[in-house]
Amino acid sequence: MILHSYWRSGAAYRTRIALNVKGLEYEQVDVDLRQRAHKSDAYLALNPQGMVPALEVEGAVLTQSVAILEWLEEAYPEPALLPVAPLERARVRAMAAVIGCDIHPLNNLRVLGAVRGLGADQAGVDAWAGVWITAGFDALEQMVAADGAGWSYGATPTLVDCYLIPQLYSARRFNLDLAPWPKLLAVEQAAETHPAFIAAHPDKQPGAD
């Protein structure tokens, strides 16, 4: 497996976590978004959308982290990132979607570039990101309170945690006070001692400053 990744990308971060939880070996190729490497002819030939991550596997290229994580769960079901019961699986997917659909897309690089293009300074960018992170984290705090038992859903890492930990990392980049969400911070504390999450941290990746 070859993972085309950028050290600070939340979508790439969640993919690294899932690969690591599954215990899979992979080569990592740094795609430096600051240098617009994702817009090079070579990378666009690999991923026409020009985004990270992209995963080369079995002669194919998988794009979009949501699809990659679902494929990983289907191809390598153990250890599982989704519960067995269909209703529980739906609840975990819904929690992950709070981040994957409602938070992360609004604070990724290209959207923030558009916000800056409308005249926002860094304080304005932070405020923009904070609005959507706060709304999502408020909901997730209640969900984790209802269903968490050391992790976001239950007593072992699930798909939710692959999404949550990168989003907490990103929230700090926008100077957001995380104190209002103690349940989410408790999950982060568990992740800080888990080898799969430790190895996936941005600071440990190729190209990290």
Side-chain angles (χ1 to χ4, degrees):
M1 294 185 189
I2 301 175
L3 178 66
H4 298 263
S5 176
Y6 176 61
W7 64 280
R8 206 163 60 180
S9 160
Y13 189 176
R14 71 176 68 131
T15 303
R16 293 193 301 266
I17 292 171
L19 286 163
N20 293 347
V21 169
K22 298 291 185 181
L24 299 171
E25 294 185 4
Y26 58 97
E27 175 187 347
Q28 194 167 177
V29 176
D30 178 41
V31 181
D32 194 332
L33 304 187
R34 296 166 299 183
Q35 302 300 320
R36 296 187 60 79
H38 58 303
K39 297 300 183 183
S40 69
D41 290 343
Y43 190 72
L44 290 173
L46 190 74
N47 180 2
Q49 197 175 17
M51 299 173 69
V52 293
L55 183 67
E56 293 187 69
V57 60
E58 299 177 8
V61 178
L62 303 180
T63 62
Q64 287 288 348
S65 62
V66 177
I68 294 171
L69 267 62
E70 289 284 352
W71 174 81
L72 285 170
E73 185 70 0
E74 293 171 0
Y76 301 93
E78 296 296 334
L81 288 171
L82 287 169
V84 173
L87 284 175
E88 292 188 17
R89 293 166 75 89
R91 288 173 68 84
V92 168
R93 286 187 170 110
M95 292 172 74
V98 171
I99 295 169
C101 298
D102 299 334
I103 300 178
H104 178 258
L106 293 166
N107 60 221
N108 69 15
L109 183 63
R110 62 179 181 170
V111 170
L112 296 183
V115 172
R116 290 188 178 94
L118 294 172
D121 58 9
Q122 188 58 50
V125 168
D126 289 352
W128 162 270
V131 167
W132 309 113
I133 296 171
T134 295
F137 279 4
D138 283 347
L140 278 171
E141 181 76 6
Q142 296 180 56
M143 293 174 172
V144 173
D147 290 321
W151 292 88
S152 296
Y153 192 97
T156 59
T158 65
L159 200 65
V160 188
D161 305 300
C162 297
Y163 283 77
L164 175 61
I165 299 307
Q167 192 59 64
L168 288 167
Y169 173 86
S170 180
R172 291 188 174 91
R173 292 176 51 213
F174 299 115
N175 300 304
L176 188 63
D177 178 12
L178 300 179
W181 305 292
K183 297 293 185 183
L184 305 189
L185 291 177
V187 173
E188 185 180 47
Q189 287 185 331
E192 287 173 348
T193 66
H194 192 294
F197 288 80
I198 293 170
H201 193 279
D203 292 350
K204 298 181 179 296
Q205 308 314 310
D209 290 339

